[in-house]
Amino acid sequence: MTDVARFRLLLEEERAGKLALLPALRADISSANAARQNSNVDDEHDPEGATIAFELSQASALLDQSRCGLAQIEAALERIEAGTFGICAVCGQGIAEGRLEARPWTPFCILHASGKA
């Protein structure tokens, strides 16, 4: 039997961490955009432009990952409320405790995690 209360706590802590990270990532993106706009030379020919473009790309990717992770966490919390947490969304079998330890937001057992089963 899955200890749902423990996983709810883990998920809520993970959600809080992601929510705290989002404003910092947005600020990084705003700073990179401001630096890019203040640059008089295009990114391709400005040595600093490449750095700015890289920082902007990296911060944008991290923001996207954080948003995606947050959505997965929210979905897992919804499954807890619905009573379906720890049950594979494909086969309906229980998800191994070890898998939930590693990825408490997963809706899939190990067999269906890759989508190849």
Side-chain angles (χ1 to χ4, degrees):
M1 183 75 177
T2 302
D3 184 357
V4 175
R6 182 170 61 90
F7 285 109
R8 179 192 311 267
L9 182 61
L10 286 172
L11 288 162
E12 288 173 349
E13 288 173 355
E14 190 73 25
R15 176 175 58 186
K18 295 235 185 265
L19 287 172
L21 181 62
L22 291 176
L25 291 171
R26 287 188 194 109
D28 287 349
I29 290 169
S30 293
S31 294
N33 275 328
R36 176 183 257 174
Q37 290 173 356
N38 292 334
S39 176
N40 292 330
V41 182
D42 63 271
D43 286 354
E44 185 178 339
H45 298 99
D46 179 10
E48 287 299 313
T51 302
I52 293 168
F54 174 77
E55 289 175 5
L56 182 58
S57 175
Q58 189 175 30
S60 295
L62 288 171
L63 182 62
D64 289 344
Q65 286 176 337
S66 292
R67 285 179 177 154
C68 181
L70 187 58
Q72 291 173 333
I73 290 166
E74 294 292 348
L77 290 167
E78 289 173 11
R79 288 192 301 278
I80 287 174
E81 294 303 316
T84 60
F85 179 82
I87 299 170
C88 179
V90 176
C91 67
Q93 298 297 311
I95 300 171
E97 190 96 2
R99 178 153 172 75
L100 290 172
E101 290 283 341
R103 300 178 61 88
W105 50 83
T106 187
F108 306 112
C109 68
I110 194 72
L111 180 64
H112 293 105
S114 67
K116 295 180 181 177

